[in-house]
Amino acid sequence: MPLKTIDDFNIQQLHILDETGIVDKDLEPDLSDDDLKKLFQAMTLSRMADARMLNLQRQGRIGTIPVNKGQEAASCAPILALKETDWFVGSYRELGARLMRGETLENSLLLFNGWEEGNVNENNDRTLPISIVLASQLPQAVGLAYASRYMKEKDTVVLTMFGDGATSEGDFHEALNFAAVLNAPVIFLCQNNQYAISTPLKIQTKSSTIAQKAIAYGIPGIQVDGNDALAVYQAVKEAVDRARADEGPTLIEAVTFRMLMHTTADDPSRYRSDDEVAVWEAKDPLIRFKKYLTDKGIWDEKSQERLEADCKQQIDDAVQAFESRKPFAADAPFDYVFGTREPLIEAQREKFLAKLEKEGDHGED
Ligand SMILES: Cc1ncc(C[n+]2csc(CCOP(=O)(O)OP(=O)(O)O)c2C)c(N)n1
């Protein structure tokens, strides 16, 4: 008996700005000049803050950090499509998104120096703390989305972000299945930055895209140029509109690149070439977006100078506020493992403090 095709699938890719920053007028999103500038300002602040944090880490003034350079469009643009009352459930490589959600830069400095206070976004209580355990935030996002409808919040949606490596976790697949079956208003945004530490995408998955994983769960999936802020915004906006209208979840794959190390504990030259990095340098999301704003007549070198001076001031202020909090108790992280003091954790605290004592470091700086 001949085989018959019972279904057909395809995956589409969205670009709105080309690699030189020229816009496709037919696809240009309907965004105000103020929103476009707000997005570029956030991307620039994220880029500059990231660079300063890397310096601080190298100077021994903060702990290990994940770096975001190159991923600013994928991180910031989705937030423009959200309302403050929506939920943001992120991973750890979305500094720009967090700044756009009203989190202070001081928060990140505190967090990456082990202060629990850095986990609290005082300006938006619908922004969850960072998730280091890969993909663990995805079922949480689905739970929030499902609960919002259960609680009769008709308008709320949830945006969750994760990396390409996280798509190999069971939590990713369970979350997509649950969201699809429950019709939960959640947007899954994968920042496919090509690497999970040293593991390149081609040995992470045999699928030719991450977006196509949506097909198995019966939900829309789309791939976007993750270095094109307009394409990222547009794809997320359409997914948000569907979710608000109770049309269920969407998986978006934003194709981007991590320009620097995985974290400050990693040396990327051991697993990728300079040539590969150079290819992506030419696709820098900030340069493309700035060209678009300039062509539109709403940005010039003077605005750029003002913006950079303003970002520098914000960063200086945050660093000063953070550093004025010293002395810092080196064992503070042990206070927050559980709500109560547990013998096993206390034993680890003692061991840690004894080690510092032996090394002559009293954790005061
Ligand atoms: C469940 C789990 N397994 C392993 C790790 C260790 N780990 C931390 S980051 C990372 C790579 C993650 O890659 P990806 O999901 O692509 O995100 P990216 O860091 O590139 O943003 C791994 C394996 C972890 N944090 N959680």
Side-chain angles (χ1 to χ4, degrees):
M1 195 167 65
L3 291 173
K4 88 177 173 200
T5 303
I6 54 168
D7 221 332
D8 245 339
F9 302 105
N10 65 66
I11 284 294
Q12 294 185 314
Q13 192 184 55
L14 179 66
H15 293 264
I16 299 181
L17 288 178
D18 75 9
E19 288 182 11
T20 65
I22 306 290
V23 67
D24 181 332
K25 282 271 169 208
D26 294 338
L27 299 176
E28 192 175 8
D30 183 19
L31 279 168
S32 68
D33 291 354
D34 279 353
D35 274 345
L36 290 169
K37 286 190 219 169
K38 183 173 144 192
L39 178 53
F40 185 63
Q41 284 158 356
M43 289 165 66
T44 305
L45 178 60
S46 169
R47 171 75 57 97
M48 289 177 65
D50 206 48
R52 176 72 73 86
M53 284 169 72
L54 181 54
N55 282 343
L56 290 173
Q57 193 280 335
R58 294 307 193 219
Q59 292 163 8
R61 289 159 69 185
I62 59 172
T64 306
I65 53 160
V67 277
N68 302 265
K69 186 179 177 193
Q71 297 183 220
E72 295 86 354
S75 171
C76 296
I79 305 303
L80 209 54
L82 294 187
K83 296 183 185 176
E84 272 190 25
T85 47
D86 293 326
W87 291 88
F88 174 67
V89 185
S91 179
Y92 47 80
R93 204 183 298 285
E94 302 107 12
L95 175 63
R98 290 184 178 279
L99 294 171
M100 283 192 77
R101 290 287 288 179
E103 207 165 296
T104 62
L105 191 51
E106 194 190 346
N107 259 29
S108 284
L109 295 167
L110 289 168
L111 184 71
F112 291 113
N113 227 17
W115 288 62
E116 172 64 13
E117 289 87 332
N119 267 323
V120 183
N121 182 347
E122 282 172 359
N123 297 317
N124 188 309
D125 59 7
R126 290 192 163 195
T127 299
L128 261 54
I130 70 165
S131 265
I132 302 266
V133 181
L134 300 179
S136 63
Q137 72 275 26
L138 274 61
Q140 295 166 7
V142 178
L144 284 168
Y146 183 57
S148 72
R149 288 300 180 270
Y150 185 77
M151 305 290 283
K152 307 273 184 271
E153 280 191 24
K154 297 226 168 296
D155 204 35
T156 303
V157 304
V158 183
L159 170 73
T160 183
M161 289 195 197
F162 48 95
D164 39 291
T167 66
S168 296
E169 293 288 342
D171 272 354
F172 167 81
H173 298 275
E174 290 166 28
L176 259 72
N177 190 51
F178 251 94
V181 169
L182 297 174
N183 207 38
V186 55
I187 298 94
F188 297 97
L189 191 136
C190 176
Q191 289 202 56
N192 171 6
N193 66 6
Q194 313 302 324
Y195 286 89
I197 315 185
S198 55
T199 302
L201 190 69
K202 63 177 181 300
I203 57 168
Q204 186 67 251
T205 178
K206 206 157 182 204
S207 309
S208 57
T209 68
I210 301 274
Q212 74 199 59
K213 294 178 192 285
I215 293 168
Y217 298 101
I219 64 172
I222 185 170
Q223 189 181 72
V224 294
D225 178 342
N227 284 11
D228 168 356
L230 295 185
V232 176
Y233 167 78
Q234 189 59 32
V236 175
K237 176 76 174 79
E238 287 173 18
V240 163
D241 289 348
R242 274 196 300 276
R244 280 204 214 290
D246 280 337
E247 289 169 24
T250 302
L251 172 64
I252 300 170
E253 173 189 4
V255 180
T256 181
F257 192 75
R258 161 167 60 74
M259 295 303 298
L260 298 170
M261 59 290 285
H262 167 73
T263 68
T264 45
D266 166 52
D267 172 8
S269 69
R270 296 181 63 172
Y271 54 83
R272 66 187 196 189
S273 69
D274 290 348
D275 288 349
E276 185 182 353
V277 178
V279 168
W280 284 91
E281 246 154 27
K283 304 182 193 180
D284 189 313
L286 267 78
I287 296 173
R288 287 159 75 176
F289 201 49
K290 184 179 163 198
K291 162 98 171 85
Y292 165 67
L293 298 182
T294 307
D295 287 352
K296 234 177 139 54
I298 59 171
W299 202 255
D300 58 22
E301 281 314 310
K302 277 244 157 336
S303 352
Q304 185 70 25
E305 271 170 35
R306 270 198 304 272
L307 171 63
E308 287 177 16
D310 179 54
C311 291
K312 182 177 177 309
Q313 190 61 53
Q314 285 189 55
I315 296 166
D316 287 348
D317 291 348
V319 173
Q320 205 193 15
F322 158 68
E323 293 199 321
S324 69
R325 290 207 184 212
K326 290 178 178 182
F328 158 69
D331 63 332
F334 292 89
D335 293 342
Y336 299 101
V337 180
F338 295 109
T340 52
R341 297 214 157 195
E342 298 299 320
L344 186 64
I345 303 299
E346 291 311 305
Q348 288 176 1
R349 182 200 300 268
E350 291 315 315
K351 210 168 150 191
F352 172 72
L353 288 174
K355 186 168 180 284
L356 286 188
E357 185 75 31
K358 202 167 145 210
E359 290 169 0
D361 178 350
H362 300 282
E364 297 276 306
D365 56 16

